[in-house]
Amino acid sequence: MWYANPSFFRLYELRFVEGTLPSMEEEEDWDREYYVVNRAALKELGYDSCQGATLMYEDDKMRAQNPEAHPIVAVIDDYYDGHISAGVHPMVFVVRRGSSGDLYTLSYRPGRLAAVMDYLKKVEREIYGTEEFEYTLFSDQVKQMYASDRRMAMLYTAFAFIAIVVSCLGLFGISLFDIRQRYREIAIRKVNGAMLKDLYVLLLRRYVGMLLLAAVVAVPLAWLAIHYYTADLVVKAPVTVGLFLAAFLIVAVISVATLLWQVNKASRINPSEVMKSE
């Protein structure tokens, strides 16, 4: 349960999907309480609409024979009040004009933070005789909330980059050894009239087939890894065919680029030089 005043919903641009708050401008409305819920809370309470919907405190239900039923005057759209992976929670707001406490939320125009801080320090000095007070920026809170996710993403990116570099080096070494072993075959084919494009097809065909076979094996394993990794997350990014297709194309381009230098060098060898060395 959250306590708020009417400006809370305007400050965070929370949209009312049903009902509305009274104006609460009269003096007798200063301490009057109104109850607002989000869609998730309305569903949790067993209602489809706020018309005729009420809620009761658990303590009142246990202590009183006829507990007071508080009418729900409005419903706001669901929003994430914490980490997005935690999903949407049922939320009940007790709204009243008067407020108390030492924690306040302020909004300011872009570029006016310094002026706002100077004004708050001035007020703090005039009332309490000091300029020291604690504050946090909402943007900093959001960054801190997702800091571990950013670090994890950077770690995954670094390991992926290392894996790609090692794979490219391994592929380069294998292709270097394999193609050099076929110099005599390439020379004979060139003597018999093989065109340059035929040699490209001959040398690349094997590696393209291995790449396709690797994709057939890797895609289901990758899908299973993503499925189990995101099993506990409430909000998940869609895993589509395009995601795997994009990954395959990136790997294909890197692999072909790695092979191309060796294939191009092998396809342009002089048959007579190869025959002499053999």
Side-chain angles (χ1 to χ4, degrees), residues 153-182:
M154 292 178 62
L155 185 64
Y156 285 158
T157 302
F159 276 109
F161 177 77
I162 294 172
I164 291 173
V165 171
V166 172
S167 300
C168 289
L169 291 175
L171 183 60
F172 182 81
I174 293 173
S175 63
L176 179 63
F177 175 78
D178 182 56
I179 292 175
R180 284 189 179 276
Q181 293 294 104
R182 303 181 67 179

Short mmCIF file of all heavy atoms in Angstrom, two decimals, residues 153-182:
data_model
loop_
_atom_site.label_atom_id
_atom_site.label_comp_id
_atom_site.label_asym_id
_atom_site.label_seq_id
_atom_site.Cartn_x
_atom_site.Cartn_y
_atom_site.Cartn_z
N ALA A 153 25.92 -7.72 -19.04
CA ALA A 153 25.90 -7.61 -20.50
C ALA A 153 27.30 -7.34 -21.05
O ALA A 153 27.70 -7.92 -22.08
CB ALA A 153 24.94 -6.49 -20.92
N MET A 154 28.06 -6.48 -20.37
CA MET A 154 29.44 -6.21 -20.81
C MET A 154 30.30 -7.46 -20.69
O MET A 154 31.14 -7.73 -21.55
CB MET A 154 30.02 -5.07 -19.98
CG MET A 154 29.39 -3.72 -20.23
SD MET A 154 30.08 -2.41 -19.17
CE MET A 154 31.79 -2.42 -19.69
N LEU A 155 30.08 -8.23 -19.62
CA LEU A 155 30.85 -9.47 -19.43
C LEU A 155 30.54 -10.47 -20.54
O LEU A 155 31.45 -11.08 -21.13
CB LEU A 155 30.53 -10.07 -18.06
CG LEU A 155 31.32 -11.30 -17.65
CD1 LEU A 155 32.80 -10.96 -17.51
CD2 LEU A 155 30.79 -11.86 -16.33
N TYR A 156 29.24 -10.63 -20.85
CA TYR A 156 28.85 -11.55 -21.93
C TYR A 156 29.42 -11.08 -23.27
O TYR A 156 29.87 -11.90 -24.08
CB TYR A 156 27.33 -11.63 -22.02
CG TYR A 156 26.68 -12.43 -20.92
CD1 TYR A 156 25.34 -12.25 -20.59
CD2 TYR A 156 27.40 -13.38 -20.20
CE1 TYR A 156 24.74 -12.99 -19.59
CE2 TYR A 156 26.81 -14.11 -19.20
CZ TYR A 156 25.48 -13.92 -18.89
OH TYR A 156 24.89 -14.65 -17.90
N THR A 157 29.40 -9.78 -23.49
CA THR A 157 29.92 -9.24 -24.75
C THR A 157 31.42 -9.51 -24.88
O THR A 157 31.91 -9.88 -25.94
CB THR A 157 29.65 -7.73 -24.84
OG1 THR A 157 28.23 -7.50 -24.73
CG2 THR A 157 30.14 -7.16 -26.16
N ALA A 158 32.16 -9.31 -23.77
CA ALA A 158 33.61 -9.53 -23.80
C ALA A 158 33.92 -11.00 -24.08
O ALA A 158 34.79 -11.31 -24.91
CB ALA A 158 34.22 -9.10 -22.47
N PHE A 159 33.23 -11.91 -23.40
CA PHE A 159 33.48 -13.34 -23.62
C PHE A 159 33.07 -13.75 -25.04
O PHE A 159 33.74 -14.60 -25.66
CB PHE A 159 32.73 -14.18 -22.59
CG PHE A 159 33.47 -14.33 -21.30
CD1 PHE A 159 33.02 -13.70 -20.15
CD2 PHE A 159 34.62 -15.10 -21.22
CE1 PHE A 159 33.71 -13.83 -18.95
CE2 PHE A 159 35.32 -15.23 -20.03
CZ PHE A 159 34.86 -14.60 -18.89
N ALA A 160 31.98 -13.18 -25.55
CA ALA A 160 31.57 -13.49 -26.92
C ALA A 160 32.61 -13.02 -27.92
O ALA A 160 32.93 -13.73 -28.89
CB ALA A 160 30.21 -12.84 -27.22
N PHE A 161 33.17 -11.82 -27.68
CA PHE A 161 34.20 -11.30 -28.58
C PHE A 161 35.44 -12.19 -28.55
O PHE A 161 36.02 -12.51 -29.60
CB PHE A 161 34.56 -9.87 -28.17
CG PHE A 161 35.66 -9.26 -29.00
CD1 PHE A 161 35.39 -8.79 -30.28
CD2 PHE A 161 36.95 -9.16 -28.50
CE1 PHE A 161 36.40 -8.24 -31.05
CE2 PHE A 161 37.96 -8.61 -29.26
CZ PHE A 161 37.68 -8.14 -30.54
N ILE A 162 35.84 -12.60 -27.35
CA ILE A 162 37.00 -13.49 -27.23
C ILE A 162 36.75 -14.82 -27.94
O ILE A 162 37.63 -15.35 -28.64
CB ILE A 162 37.34 -13.73 -25.74
CG1 ILE A 162 37.82 -12.42 -25.10
CG2 ILE A 162 38.41 -14.81 -25.58
CD1 ILE A 162 37.99 -12.50 -23.60
N ALA A 163 35.53 -15.35 -27.77
CA ALA A 163 35.20 -16.62 -28.42
C ALA A 163 35.24 -16.49 -29.94
O ALA A 163 35.72 -17.39 -30.65
CB ALA A 163 33.81 -17.08 -27.97
N ILE A 164 34.77 -15.36 -30.47
CA ILE A 164 34.79 -15.14 -31.93
C ILE A 164 36.23 -15.04 -32.43
O ILE A 164 36.57 -15.62 -33.47
CB ILE A 164 33.98 -13.87 -32.28
CG1 ILE A 164 32.49 -14.10 -32.03
CG2 ILE A 164 34.21 -13.47 -33.73
CD1 ILE A 164 31.64 -12.87 -32.18
N VAL A 165 37.08 -14.30 -31.69
CA VAL A 165 38.48 -14.15 -32.11
C VAL A 165 39.18 -15.51 -32.11
O VAL A 165 39.89 -15.86 -33.07
CB VAL A 165 39.20 -13.16 -31.18
CG1 VAL A 165 40.71 -13.16 -31.46
CG2 VAL A 165 38.65 -11.75 -31.37
N VAL A 166 38.99 -16.29 -31.04
CA VAL A 166 39.63 -17.61 -30.96
C VAL A 166 39.11 -18.52 -32.07
O VAL A 166 39.89 -19.26 -32.70
CB VAL A 166 39.37 -18.24 -29.58
CG1 VAL A 166 39.85 -19.69 -29.55
CG2 VAL A 166 40.06 -17.44 -28.48
N SER A 167 37.81 -18.46 -32.35
CA SER A 167 37.24 -19.28 -33.42
C SER A 167 37.82 -18.90 -34.78
O SER A 167 38.13 -19.78 -35.61
CB SER A 167 35.72 -19.14 -33.43
OG SER A 167 35.16 -19.56 -32.21
N CYS A 168 37.96 -17.59 -35.00
CA CYS A 168 38.51 -17.13 -36.28
C CYS A 168 39.96 -17.58 -36.44
O CYS A 168 40.38 -17.98 -37.53
CB CYS A 168 38.41 -15.61 -36.38
SG CYS A 168 36.72 -15.00 -36.60
N LEU A 169 40.73 -17.51 -35.36
CA LEU A 169 42.12 -17.96 -35.42
C LEU A 169 42.20 -19.46 -35.70
O LEU A 169 43.03 -19.92 -36.49
CB LEU A 169 42.84 -17.64 -34.11
CG LEU A 169 43.10 -16.15 -33.83
CD1 LEU A 169 43.70 -15.95 -32.45
CD2 LEU A 169 44.01 -15.55 -34.90
N GLY A 170 41.32 -20.22 -35.04
CA GLY A 170 41.29 -21.67 -35.29
C GLY A 170 40.89 -21.98 -36.71
O GLY A 170 41.49 -22.85 -37.37
N LEU A 171 39.85 -21.27 -37.21
CA LEU A 171 39.40 -21.50 -38.58
C LEU A 171 40.49 -21.11 -39.58
O LEU A 171 40.70 -21.80 -40.59
CB LEU A 171 38.13 -20.68 -38.84
CG LEU A 171 37.46 -20.83 -40.20
CD1 LEU A 171 37.04 -22.28 -40.44
CD2 LEU A 171 36.26 -19.90 -40.31
N PHE A 172 41.20 -20.02 -39.29
CA PHE A 172 42.28 -19.59 -40.17
C PHE A 172 43.39 -20.64 -40.22
O PHE A 172 43.91 -20.97 -41.29
CB PHE A 172 42.84 -18.25 -39.68
CG PHE A 172 43.91 -17.69 -40.55
CD1 PHE A 172 43.61 -16.99 -41.71
CD2 PHE A 172 45.25 -17.85 -40.22
CE1 PHE A 172 44.61 -16.47 -42.52
CE2 PHE A 172 46.26 -17.34 -41.02
CZ PHE A 172 45.93 -16.65 -42.17
N GLY A 173 43.74 -21.18 -39.05
CA GLY A 173 44.80 -22.19 -39.02
C GLY A 173 44.40 -23.46 -39.75
O GLY A 173 45.20 -24.04 -40.51
N ILE A 174 43.17 -23.92 -39.55
CA ILE A 174 42.71 -25.14 -40.22
C ILE A 174 42.65 -24.95 -41.73
O ILE A 174 43.08 -25.81 -42.51
CB ILE A 174 41.32 -25.55 -39.67
CG1 ILE A 174 41.45 -25.98 -38.21
CG2 ILE A 174 40.71 -26.66 -40.51
CD1 ILE A 174 40.12 -26.24 -37.54
N SER A 175 42.11 -23.79 -42.13
CA SER A 175 42.00 -23.53 -43.57
C SER A 175 43.38 -23.39 -44.21
O SER A 175 43.61 -23.83 -45.34
CB SER A 175 41.18 -22.26 -43.82
OG SER A 175 41.82 -21.11 -43.27
N LEU A 176 44.33 -22.79 -43.48
CA LEU A 176 45.69 -22.64 -44.00
C LEU A 176 46.32 -24.02 -44.24
O LEU A 176 46.92 -24.28 -45.30
CB LEU A 176 46.54 -21.84 -43.01
CG LEU A 176 48.01 -21.61 -43.37
CD1 LEU A 176 48.11 -20.78 -44.64
CD2 LEU A 176 48.73 -20.92 -42.22
N PHE A 177 46.17 -24.91 -43.28
CA PHE A 177 46.73 -26.24 -43.41
C PHE A 177 46.02 -27.03 -44.51
O PHE A 177 46.67 -27.68 -45.36
CB PHE A 177 46.60 -26.98 -42.07
CG PHE A 177 47.04 -28.42 -42.13
CD1 PHE A 177 48.39 -28.75 -42.12
CD2 PHE A 177 46.10 -29.43 -42.21
CE1 PHE A 177 48.80 -30.08 -42.18
CE2 PHE A 177 46.50 -30.76 -42.28
CZ PHE A 177 47.85 -31.09 -42.27
N ASP A 178 44.70 -26.97 -44.52
CA ASP A 178 43.91 -27.77 -45.46
C ASP A 178 44.13 -27.32 -46.90
O ASP A 178 44.32 -28.15 -47.81
CB ASP A 178 42.43 -27.67 -45.09
CG ASP A 178 41.57 -28.51 -46.01
OD1 ASP A 178 41.82 -29.73 -46.12
OD2 ASP A 178 40.65 -27.94 -46.63
N ILE A 179 44.13 -26.02 -47.12
CA ILE A 179 44.26 -25.51 -48.49
C ILE A 179 45.67 -25.75 -49.03
O ILE A 179 45.85 -26.07 -50.22
CB ILE A 179 43.88 -24.01 -48.55
CG1 ILE A 179 42.37 -23.86 -48.27
CG2 ILE A 179 44.23 -23.41 -49.90
CD1 ILE A 179 41.91 -22.42 -48.17
N ARG A 180 46.68 -25.62 -48.18
CA ARG A 180 48.04 -25.90 -48.63
C ARG A 180 48.20 -27.37 -49.03
O ARG A 180 49.00 -27.70 -49.91
CB ARG A 180 49.05 -25.53 -47.54
CG ARG A 180 49.29 -24.03 -47.42
CD ARG A 180 50.43 -23.74 -46.48
NE ARG A 180 50.69 -22.30 -46.40
CZ ARG A 180 51.44 -21.62 -47.25
NH1 ARG A 180 51.99 -22.26 -48.28
NH2 ARG A 180 51.62 -20.32 -47.12
N GLN A 181 47.47 -28.25 -48.36
CA GLN A 181 47.53 -29.66 -48.71
C GLN A 181 46.90 -29.94 -50.08
O GLN A 181 47.16 -30.98 -50.69
CB GLN A 181 46.78 -30.50 -47.65
CG GLN A 181 47.44 -30.51 -46.27
CD GLN A 181 48.79 -31.21 -46.29
OE1 GLN A 181 49.82 -30.55 -46.25
NE2 GLN A 181 48.78 -32.52 -46.40
N ARG A 182 46.10 -28.99 -50.57
CA ARG A 182 45.38 -29.20 -51.84
C ARG A 182 45.99 -28.38 -52.98
O ARG A 182 45.36 -28.24 -54.03
CB ARG A 182 43.91 -28.82 -51.66
CG ARG A 182 43.23 -29.60 -50.54
CD ARG A 182 41.77 -29.25 -50.40
NE ARG A 182 41.00 -29.68 -51.54
CZ ARG A 182 39.67 -29.49 -51.65
NH1 ARG A 182 39.02 -28.91 -50.68
NH2 ARG A 182 39.03 -29.92 -52.72
#
